[in-house]
Amino acid sequence: MGSRHPCGEAQVPARRRRLVIDHFQHALFCLLVLMWFGDRLEQMQIKQIKAVQRPLLLGLRRFKVLNFLPRVSKLVLLKRGKELSELCEYRNQVLVPLIRGRSKAKREQLNKFKEERNDGDWIVSSVDTLMDLELLEEDEMVSLCLEFLDAGTDTTSIAMQWIMANLVKYPEIQERLDDEIKSVVGQEAKQVKEEDLQGLYYLKAVVLGGAMPPPTGSLVTACSGERRGALGT
């Protein structure tokens, strides 16, 4: 059973709680994957990409030590080196087929365009642009893919969390946003469509305003703590 609040209100059990940041991260991760590959991948494929990206990102500090005297560190930290090697191998197993599949789909689309003079609903992705350059190998595109996902997921989701926190803090702004959305989309609409965004000027201002503060991620906090310690304050 869930615990009760001191005021007597029942609280949601811990096992049933889901942080808002989790939803933000998943939604943005799916969006970034779409931007990179241009295809709406299955949820299982997205989970596989996340299973590659998160351990490599979170283990960055642990694996960085292997770059220091690689021959020695790989012998001393044999288990860690093996873990990194297995993650890199799994990374290639997941991402390389997706890149090759996109390359094949692009060739088919070009042939279709030559025959019908119609590119349909084809979405130009980051992989398409890199393949057009003809400068990178597959392993380099794999590395760029992970860098793209690393740089975009947490930073943007933290910015969105910051915006939501301020909407809770300033209910008058939340109310104004609600009124604008209802006036543009309609009272009975269940979702905001892409074509509706052009008329949501205040929403755009709020989002752009939320992107203005400096990054609020854990790296900034860590650096600030180290700096305070170094200054003796």
Side-chain angles (χ1 to χ4, degrees):
M1 296 178 63
S3 59
R4 295 190 68 83
H5 192 272
C7 295
E9 296 179 0
Q11 291 183 314
V12 178
R15 64 178 181 274
R16 293 176 55 191
R17 294 173 190 165
R18 188 91 184 263
L19 297 178
V20 174
I21 190 68
D22 296 334
H23 295 282
F24 285 160
Q25 286 177 341
H26 180 71
L28 288 166
F29 191 84
C30 294
L31 176 61
L32 292 172
V33 168
L34 174 62
M35 292 170 61
W36 186 262
F37 291 105
D39 291 325
R40 290 177 174 83
L41 303 181
E42 300 292 335
Q43 284 297 319
M44 182 57 67
Q45 293 174 302
I46 294 176
K47 288 181 180 179
Q48 290 176 337
I49 298 174
K50 188 179 291 187
V52 171
Q53 181 254 354
R54 297 304 290 182
L56 287 172
L57 175 62
L58 298 177
L60 184 61
R61 292 185 179 180
R62 294 178 56 247
F63 297 138
K64 190 184 296 185
V65 70
L66 298 173
N67 293 327
F68 181 71
L69 297 176
R71 294 183 180 180
V72 177
S73 59
K74 288 182 179 179
L75 290 175
V76 176
L77 303 171
L78 184 62
K79 185 176 180 180
R80 193 176 303 185
K82 183 180 179 182
E83 180 185 355
L84 177 60
S85 178
E86 290 176 349
L87 280 173
C88 291
E89 183 179 352
Y90 182 57
R91 173 198 66 182
N92 293 334
Q93 291 176 357
V94 171
L95 296 178
V96 170
L98 294 176
I99 293 174
R100 292 177 179 174
R102 183 63 182 182
S103 178
K104 180 181 178 182
K106 184 180 179 183
R107 290 194 300 269
E108 294 175 350
Q109 182 67 21
L110 287 175
N111 294 332
K112 180 180 178 181
F113 177 73
K114 290 178 181 178
E115 294 175 0
E116 303 178 4
R117 295 292 177 180
N118 181 15
D119 57 0
D121 56 352
W122 180 260
I123 300 175
V124 178
S125 66
S126 299
V127 171
D128 296 336
T129 305
L130 293 177
M131 287 189 291
D132 289 339
L133 294 176
E134 298 182 350
L135 296 174
L136 302 177
E137 301 294 334
E138 283 182 344
D139 58 339
E140 294 174 312
M141 285 195 281
V142 166
S143 297
L144 284 176
C145 173
L146 290 179
E147 289 180 14
F148 180 76
L149 296 175
D150 291 344
T153 304
D154 287 340
T155 52
T156 311
S157 60
I158 288 173
M160 291 183 64
Q161 189 180 28
W162 179 262
I163 292 172
M164 294 297 293
N166 276 283
L167 289 178
V168 173
K169 185 177 181 180
Y170 302 104
E172 65 276 9
I173 297 179
Q174 184 179 160
E175 183 178 358
R176 183 173 174 181
L177 276 175
D178 185 58
D179 291 340
E180 182 187 62
I181 293 173
K182 288 180 179 178
S183 65
V184 173
V185 179
Q187 294 282 347
E188 303 299 327
K190 295 183 178 180
Q191 62 180 3
V192 178
K193 298 180 180 179
E194 186 174 353
E195 53 268 23
D196 298 326
L197 296 177
Q198 301 300 323
L200 298 173
Y201 301 107
Y202 192 67
L203 175 62
K204 184 177 181 180
V206 169
V207 173
L208 292 177
M212 289 176 62
T216 56
S218 57
L219 291 177
V220 175
T221 305
C223 291
S224 300
E226 292 174 2
R227 185 178 180 183
R228 286 197 299 270
L231 294 174
T233 58

